[in-house]
Amino acid sequence: MVHGEPAGCCAPVDTTAPLSVTINPEARVNVARTGSRVRSLAIGEWHTIDFPIVNTGYVTGQLVIEADPVSDVDLDLPAHELTGEPRQEGAVRVRFDVPTIVDVTLTFRALSALGGLATHSSLHLILRSHVARLPIV
């Protein structure tokens, strides 16, 4: 399911990633789903979910990603150093312990030290895991 247009200044972001992040000149973060889906993920393996960061405000500093703990799921949510470049690539990683379907809420923050000037955006990401199948030899 796509919720609105992918994040971007004046047009949708050109990406095959399942989500995109835009930071405006006031350091406000907008995260949105794109038309791409996150495929079912094998349990016991780390999976990378890439996303573009479109920085229309040329903001520098850290982009932080937060999430509440989710049962049977490991999340690797690294801080991304914003260089001021108009576009950077970002990613999070996820690993499942059991086959399941979960709703992970990711919250993105830029320049959190500025308080109200640096608002954040959250996104619900529905993820599904499955048992990896061995290749038939």
Side-chain angles (χ1 to χ4, degrees):
M1 177 189 312
V2 176
H3 298 285
E5 288 297 317
C9 167
C10 304
V13 173
D14 180 22
T15 185
T16 58
L19 56 106
S20 64
V21 175
T22 300
I23 303 170
N24 77 6
E26 297 166 337
R28 290 193 171 104
V29 178
N30 180 28
V31 60
R33 291 294 315 264
T34 68
S36 299
R37 302 172 102 184
V38 177
R39 58 183 166 67
S40 181
L41 307 172
I43 62 170
E45 299 175 19
W46 281 104
H47 297 277
T48 301
I49 300 173
D50 297 313
F51 56 87
I53 303 167
V54 178
N55 191 346
T56 63
Y58 309 104
V59 174
T60 59
Q62 283 198 337
L63 175 68
V64 177
I65 308 164
E66 301 168 343
D68 288 333
V70 179
S71 182
D72 298 319
V73 177
D74 295 319
L75 296 171
D76 178 21
L77 307 172
H80 293 74
E81 194 63 37
L82 299 172
T83 63
E85 293 294 317
R87 183 172 173 142
Q88 292 177 240
E89 298 304 315
V92 297
R93 294 186 326 144
V94 61
R95 180 177 61 193
F96 288 89
D97 295 331
V98 297
T100 188
I101 298 174
V102 295
D103 179 359
V104 177
T105 302
L106 299 175
T107 301
F108 292 74
R109 299 179 193 275
L111 304 180
S112 59
L114 294 179
L117 293 177
T119 60
H120 62 86
S121 185
S122 295
L123 174 94
H124 290 274
L125 195 57
I126 307 298
L127 300 172
R128 177 178 33 188
S129 64
H130 68 275
V131 176
R133 302 204 191 286
L134 297 174
I136 299 175
V137 182

